[in-house]
Amino acid sequence: MTNIKLKITVIGFLFLFLNVFGQKTELGYKTKNYTVYSEDKDEYILKITFPRNYNSDKEYKTLYYLDAYWLAEITLGSYTILDLCNYVEDVVFVGISLNGTQKDWQKQRDMDFTPRNLEILDF
């Protein structure tokens, strides 16, 4: 029984040590979500991510990307690596997404990217 108490004590100290001396993972990027509606009343989410040292008095380049439902993490993750190495300048990201599930995303994507009312072309 003493062996189990020792293991629990060691694990407890390990968690305490990691919480006190662990690395801080907050990088300082701020993301705000805004809801907008199209003329057809379709609901979209704009995911706007600001640089780590954002200053409202400064002008920034803007990068717009679609499919933020799927691509926000990989887009911002790739940028973060380059930013931490000082390979890129500060950029404001605007991801265009929707509010809903994967099924809702697929339905909206089909509506957005499937041509409608096409005239038949003669070849």
Side-chain angles (χ1 to χ4, degrees):
M1 205 58 161
T2 307
N3 195 15
I4 293 175
K5 288 181 182 180
L6 178 64
K7 287 180 183 179
I8 291 173
T9 304
V10 169
I11 290 173
F13 280 117
L14 181 62
F15 282 122
L16 177 66
F17 178 78
L18 290 176
N19 286 334
V20 172
F21 298 105
Q23 293 181 348
K24 186 177 178 184
T25 58
E26 177 65 37
L27 296 173
Y29 300 100
K30 303 289 186 221
T31 300
K32 294 184 179 180
N33 294 332
Y34 297 93
T35 304
V36 295
Y37 296 91
S38 69
E39 292 176 358
D40 297 333
K41 306 278 191 268
D42 295 323
E43 182 178 327
Y44 293 91
I45 306 277
L46 298 181
K47 294 179 175 240
I48 302 175
T49 302
F50 299 95
R52 291 184 291 152
N53 301 316
Y54 178 74
N55 178 352
S56 60
D57 296 329
K58 184 179 173 187
E59 288 188 18
Y60 295 91
K61 292 184 179 180
T62 305
L63 187 137
Y64 297 90
Y65 64 101
L66 300 176
D67 296 337
Y69 182 84
W70 291 109
L71 300 178
E73 290 180 8
I74 193 165
T75 301
L76 298 174
S78 299
Y79 173 79
T80 298
I81 292 169
L82 296 172
D83 184 38
L84 293 174
C85 295
N86 295 318
Y87 291 147
V88 294
E89 60 188 284
D90 289 339
V91 175
V92 173
F93 285 87
V94 178
I96 302 170
S97 187
L98 65 98
N99 189 14
T101 64
Q102 180 178 350
K103 185 177 179 181
D104 297 328
W105 175 83
Q106 186 64 48
K107 179 181 174 187
Q108 187 66 45
R109 185 170 179 82
D110 289 344
M111 288 181 1
D112 289 342
F113 293 106
T114 303
R116 293 178 237 157
N117 302 327
L118 291 178
E119 296 180 24
I120 298 176
L121 301 175
D122 291 329
F123 291 100

